[in-house]
């Protein structure tokens, strides 16, 4: 009997494909993990709460995609997101859902984002001289930067050309309400982040995991809920009905932004804690799986 050892890849390969050179689709262990996460994605689809008026779903369907992308990298994360979204659509196709490409690309994009954040988090955790302050600053720059971009695009570029005094006044009310709610969202997110940093300041590994996992959740919300959410909703309703929704013509995309800010102000801390906890819990299992595959015996 001889031992088949798999060499540790360089950092660039490790960043892009954490399991390389292991072929994840030929290993029973990794296939079981993939099947479990796909099943979990489908289950979450059935326990989600849908608000048809603003085309908003309150659920945890993104968690399996984020977890997969985190451990298997951005390339496989995109593939998993595409497969999971396609399966979910066909399974729920009888519920009146209509396939739309802007919704279809969200999960593959989330898988890519998860792989990027996980790759960087791994490089930071493996650095014995890591400075947590650098990671906190990176987190703040990314989150605030994406927040400003998202708000600018929605409020400034997608504002309607209102023709009546009534519509103009209503739009202003919605706009100021959106500004207030976004400010509250950032305050709550910052308070939650600072609390977690203080609570885990002596546990570098856990703290880095939380910083990048929570950043991943926040960026996903800013991009796919705050920024693309209203844009996708208007495009989807226009595609389904053959014309733009009346409320968008009168008030603008900000109408679809407000419910998302309210919901995500609660969801972001919750999902950040759940994702971080799951990563910390699954991490030993993934490491053991890699070790078992890398040290398997062959005759």
């Amino acid at each position: 009997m001889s031992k088949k050892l798999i060499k540790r890849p360089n950092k660039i390969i490790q960043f892009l494909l954490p399991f390389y050179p292991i072929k994840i689709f030929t290993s029973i262990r990794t296939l079981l993990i993939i099947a479990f996460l796909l099943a979990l994605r489908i289950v979450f689809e059935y326990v989600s709460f849908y608000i048809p008026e603003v085309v908003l779903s309150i659920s945890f369907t993104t968690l399996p995609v984020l977890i997969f992308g985190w451990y298997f990298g951005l390339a496989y994360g995109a593939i998993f997101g595409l497969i999971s979204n396609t399966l979910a659509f066909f399974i729920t196709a009888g519920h009146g859902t209509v396939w739309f490409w802007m919704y279809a690309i969200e999960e593959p994009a989330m898988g890519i984002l998860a792989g990027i954040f996980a790759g960087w988090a791994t490089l930071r955790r493996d650095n014995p001289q890591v400075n947590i302050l650098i990671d906190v600053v990176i987190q703040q720059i990314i989150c605030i930067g994406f927040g400003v971009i998202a708000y600018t695009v929605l409020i400034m570029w997608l504002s309607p050309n209102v023709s009546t005094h009534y519509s103009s006044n209503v739009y202003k009310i919605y706009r100021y309400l959106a500004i207030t709610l976004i400010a509250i969202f950032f305050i709550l997110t910052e308070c939650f982040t600072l609390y977690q940093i203080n609570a885990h300041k002596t546990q570098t590994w856990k703290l880095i995991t939380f910083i990048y996992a929570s950043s991943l959740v926040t960026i996903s919300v800013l991009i796919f809920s705050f920024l693309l959410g209203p844009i996708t909703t208007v495009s989807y309703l226009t595609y389904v009905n053959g014309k733009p929704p009346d409320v968008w013509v009168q008030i603008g995309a900000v109408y679809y932004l407000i419910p998302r800010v309210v919901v995500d102000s609660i969801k972001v801390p919750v999902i950040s804690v759940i994702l971080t906890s799951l990563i910390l819990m699954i991490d030993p299992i993934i490491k053991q799986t890699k070790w078992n595959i890398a040290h398997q015996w062959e005759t």
Side-chain angles (χ1 to χ4, degrees):
M1 298 178 71
S2 61
K3 204 174 190 180
K4 182 176 70 175
L5 295 175
I6 297 178
K7 295 181 180 179
R8 183 181 178 87
N10 62 47
K11 289 186 177 181
I12 296 177
I13 296 296
Q14 185 184 13
F15 180 89
L16 297 174
L17 298 168
F19 267 80
Y20 181 84
I22 298 172
K23 298 178 180 179
I24 67 170
F25 296 114
T26 59
S27 167
I28 295 178
R29 293 182 178 90
T30 54
L31 285 176
L32 286 174
I33 295 174
I34 294 171
F36 172 75
L37 290 175
L38 277 174
L40 196 61
R41 166 66 179 85
I42 302 303
V43 170
F44 282 151
E45 185 72 30
Y46 281 99
V47 295
S48 59
F49 179 73
Y50 185 67
I51 306 176
E53 177 66 22
V54 290
V55 195
L56 175 62
S57 177
I58 303 174
S59 68
F60 295 96
T61 55
T62 59
L63 266 176
V65 179
L66 296 179
I67 292 172
F68 187 92
W70 184 277
Y71 283 110
F72 290 88
L74 56 91
Y76 288 131
I79 296 173
F80 180 87
L82 181 63
I83 294 173
S84 66
N85 181 270
T86 303
L87 283 176
F89 171 75
F90 281 112
I91 290 174
T92 60
H95 297 172
T97 55
V98 177
W99 186 90
F100 189 57
W101 70 272
M102 293 185 75
Y103 287 123
I105 65 173
E106 285 187 6
E107 290 188 28
M110 285 186 181
I112 293 173
L113 267 182
I116 293 173
F117 275 86
W120 182 251
T122 300
L123 293 177
R124 295 295 293 168
R125 287 189 306 188
D126 291 345
N127 183 358
Q129 299 178 335
V130 64
N131 185 346
I132 293 295
L133 181 60
I134 295 176
D135 300 284
V136 174
V137 171
I138 291 174
Q139 179 198 44
Q140 297 301 305
I141 292 174
I142 292 176
C143 292
I144 294 175
F146 272 94
V148 171
I149 292 172
Y151 178 78
T152 301
V153 171
L154 282 172
I155 304 301
M156 304 303 176
W157 293 0
L158 292 181
S159 300
N161 296 317
V162 292
S163 57
T164 67
H165 180 68
Y166 167 78
S167 296
S168 179
N169 287 337
V170 171
Y171 168 69
K172 288 179 180 178
I173 293 173
Y174 272 89
R175 178 177 175 176
Y176 291 134
L177 180 59
I179 293 173
T180 303
L181 290 174
I182 289 176
I184 293 173
F185 168 81
F186 274 105
I187 291 172
L188 291 175
T189 303
E190 290 297 309
C191 289
F192 174 73
T193 300
L194 292 175
Y195 169 77
Q196 291 293 328
I197 290 174
N198 183 65
H200 301 292
K201 58 185 176 182
T202 59
Q203 301 171 299
T204 303
W205 184 74
K206 288 185 177 180
L207 184 54
I208 290 178
T209 301
F210 168 77
I211 287 175
Y212 289 103
S214 61
S215 297
L216 170 61
V217 174
T218 304
I219 294 301
S220 297
V221 166
L222 289 174
I223 295 176
F224 301 108
S225 184
F226 289 9
L227 175 56
L228 294 181
I231 298 173
T232 303
T233 298
V234 173
S235 301
Y236 172 77
L237 293 175
T238 302
Y239 171 75
V240 172
N241 301 319
K243 65 175 183 177
D246 294 335
V247 70
W248 179 75
V249 176
Q250 295 176 350
I251 301 173
V254 69
Y255 173 81
Y256 300 99
L257 171 63
I258 290 175
R260 286 171 167 77
V261 179
V262 174
V263 170
D264 290 324
S265 294
I266 301 172
K267 277 181 61 178
V268 165
V270 173
I271 294 183
S272 294
V273 170
I274 294 175
L275 181 61
T276 303
S277 301
L278 287 174
I279 289 171
L280 294 174
M281 181 178 67
I282 297 172
D283 225 45
I285 299 174
I286 295 295
K287 288 180 179 178
Q288 186 63 42
T289 299
K290 287 182 178 180
W291 191 92
N292 289 340
I293 296 174
H295 294 78
Q296 56 188 325
W297 294 84
E298 63 176 9
T299 55

